[in-house]
Amino acid sequence: MADGIEQILSKQDYYGIRLESIGGLGANLCGKMVGELAVRYLQLNSAGFSSYGSEKTGTPVKAYIRFAPPDREIRVHSPVVEPDLLVIFHQALMRDERVWKGCSDRTNVIVATDQGNGETVLQHLPDAVGCCYGVNARRIAMETKSRINVVMLGAMAKVMGFVKLEEAKQICRDSLGRKYPAALEGNLSGLEQGYEQVRLLEAKGGQRSDRREKAEENDHEWGYATAPIGGVNPRYGSTVTADLSPSRQGYIPVFIKERCINCGLCDSTCPDMVFQFAKGTYNGREMMVNQGLDYYHCKGCMRCVDVCPVNALVRGLESEHPDKKFFLPNQDMLRTPEYYVKAGPDGYITSESYLTEKRIEGGEV
């Protein structure tokens, strides 16, 4: 048994890991590799599984892994409720209070950060966690032409402390070498960079706001006493209540209002309620006039740009438009923190706004 984990498992039944992610980032495969690593190279018993929906980009994904000594059978096959290690694959997920459920001061957290300084991460960090670590997994994945999941695997190996870098590399070779031999070198490089570049953002006992009471107040788990009338769930999986902005691949439709002829083609082709039309006047006639775009609902598919006959909608880099003109949230929507899903889908490693590379098969660029 690896040094360090033996001492941990002498005080508790299992070492539990929970991965919080969204479809397309490879958390399911990462969980499988972590579990296999424990059995093959750490001489531990391991059990794990993933929980996900329709297996498409943007759907919520959770993976659970448990470690136990080789002489202790793992007979628990439920989600890891109180993790020793919480791994968050997308920074936007930190805004969801449910991500932090079950965390305590013994829970170490790894976050795939977007910002190099980690200040945004610490703003969302609740009091009820231990040490918090950050790694810019997307940048590393792009530079090494690897996957976010192998970068996070390297970071996990470093933070856990009882997994050696070479052991993590070997499980990567075992899992990905045969299936993707051409991508193996990049994946190994990404894993190593994740191991080397993960950094401590805040240690235990840092100054944070206590959000535990707030999380309990805003707990919307439904049971027989709290389910909506008729048993219909009006929230989950609905683009009406979800913030789709993290799903954008770095591009947004830019509205040039003076070119618009209010033909409505953009509205008819848009799958996500982005365009806001209201009664107005155009060329001296009363008609429905395009007032602006609800960028909360825009996932960056660019169908509106393709269909616009007068180039009133053009493709633009989101990084060049931090303050978006004609950003008009849907006025018919009730947006409250209690019922608004703050974290939506994500579009894999090209989702950083400054990127202009195109995605190809396998996610490599």
Side-chain angles (χ1 to χ4, degrees):
M1 191 186 304
D3 295 337
I5 188 63
E6 182 176 4
Q7 184 178 3
I8 295 174
L9 293 176
S10 67
K11 301 177 182 178
Q12 58 194 62
D13 292 334
Y14 308 107
Y15 182 88
I17 303 171
R18 188 168 79 220
L19 311 183
E20 296 276 357
S21 184
I22 41 189
L25 301 182
N28 181 29
L29 178 58
C30 183
K32 291 178 180 177
M33 287 195 290
V34 171
E36 192 173 347
L37 184 154
V39 173
R40 284 194 175 191
Y41 304 114
L42 302 182
Q43 291 77 51
L44 296 170
N45 280 339
S46 177
F49 68 96
S50 296
S51 172
Y52 45 80
S54 55
E55 294 188 79
K56 65 183 179 182
T57 297
T59 54
V61 175
K62 297 178 185 286
Y64 310 98
I65 309 100
R66 286 183 174 89
F67 297 161
D71 58 349
R72 185 182 303 159
E73 184 179 355
I74 299 178
R75 306 186 68 179
V76 179
H77 303 286
S78 59
V80 175
V81 177
E82 299 179 353
D84 294 280
L85 179 64
L86 176 67
V87 185
I88 302 175
F89 276 59
H90 191 287
Q91 187 170 317
L93 293 173
M94 298 183 68
R95 295 176 291 179
D96 189 344
E97 298 286 350
R98 294 165 296 177
V99 166
W100 304 104
K101 279 199 169 184
C103 292
S104 65
D105 57 4
R106 70 179 176 87
T107 302
N108 288 328
V109 179
I110 304 175
V111 182
T113 60
D114 293 330
Q115 286 78 22
N117 55 22
E119 292 179 1
T120 304
V121 173
L122 297 180
Q123 290 176 3
H124 295 288
L125 194 66
D127 187 59
V129 296
C131 297
C132 181
Y133 300 82
V135 59
N136 197 329
R138 291 181 184 160
R139 178 182 57 78
I140 295 172
M142 291 301 302
E143 291 175 351
T144 59
K145 294 182 171 58
S146 62
R147 297 284 304 270
I148 282 182
N149 55 356
V150 295
V151 178
M152 298 305 286
L153 176 60
M156 291 169 64
K158 182 66 173 288
V159 171
M160 285 189 286
F162 51 81
V163 179
K164 298 177 181 177
L165 176 60
E166 186 52 42
E167 293 170 339
K169 283 187 172 182
Q170 190 56 49
I171 201 62
C172 185
R173 295 188 189 99
D174 296 342
S175 300
L176 305 177
R178 290 184 181 179
K179 193 171 183 180
Y180 307 108
L184 180 59
E185 183 178 351
N187 284 325
L188 291 175
S189 177
L191 189 152
E192 183 173 359
Q193 291 298 314
Y195 186 93
E196 297 294 339
Q197 295 188 31
V198 64
R199 64 200 182 282
L200 179 65
L201 299 180
E202 189 178 81
K204 291 182 179 180
Q207 297 298 318
R208 312 166 190 159
S209 59
D210 192 340
R211 294 166 51 180
R212 284 172 290 188
E213 182 178 344
K214 179 182 176 182
E216 293 174 0
E217 292 176 354
N218 295 333
D219 191 351
H220 295 292
E221 286 191 353
W222 285 333
Y224 73 94
T226 57
I229 296 176
V232 177
N233 183 341
R235 174 180 175 186
Y236 292 97
S238 170
T239 59
V240 173
T241 56
D243 179 359
L244 299 185
S245 58
S247 71
R248 293 197 285 265
Q249 309 268 329
Y251 298 96
I252 59 169
V254 177
F255 184 36
I256 305 175
K257 190 173 179 63
E258 56 269 22
R259 296 181 184 175
C260 182
I261 59 175
N262 300 297
C263 63
L265 287 175
C266 56
D267 189 43
S268 62
T269 196
C270 177
D272 292 304
M273 303 173 58
V274 170
F275 295 93
Q276 306 302 305
F277 279 76
K279 289 183 179 180
T281 302
Y282 175 69
N283 285 344
R285 293 185 302 166
E286 288 189 1
M287 60 188 301
M288 298 298 289
V289 176
N290 194 348
Q291 305 294 317
L293 293 74
D294 184 351
Y295 284 105
Y296 286 125
H297 285 162
C298 178
K299 61 187 178 186
C301 68
M302 297 297 150
R303 293 182 186 179
C304 57
V305 173
D306 295 335
V307 78
C308 182
V310 292
N311 291 326
L313 291 161
V314 297
R315 179 188 296 256
L317 282 174
E318 187 167 5
S319 59
E320 297 177 356
H321 300 275
D323 299 319
K324 301 172 181 59
K325 282 186 72 175
F326 305 108
F327 187 168
L328 180 65
N330 191 327
Q331 300 302 298
D332 295 328
M333 289 290 298
L334 175 65
R335 296 180 181 276
T336 63
E338 290 77 14
Y339 295 101
Y340 182 57
V341 182
K342 303 181 185 65
D346 181 72
Y348 194 52
I349 61 174
T350 54
S351 58
E352 283 186 297
S353 297
Y354 65 82
L355 297 176
T356 58
E357 293 87 344
K358 294 181 179 179
R359 223 171 18 151
I360 64 174
E361 184 178 356
E364 299 173 8
V365 293

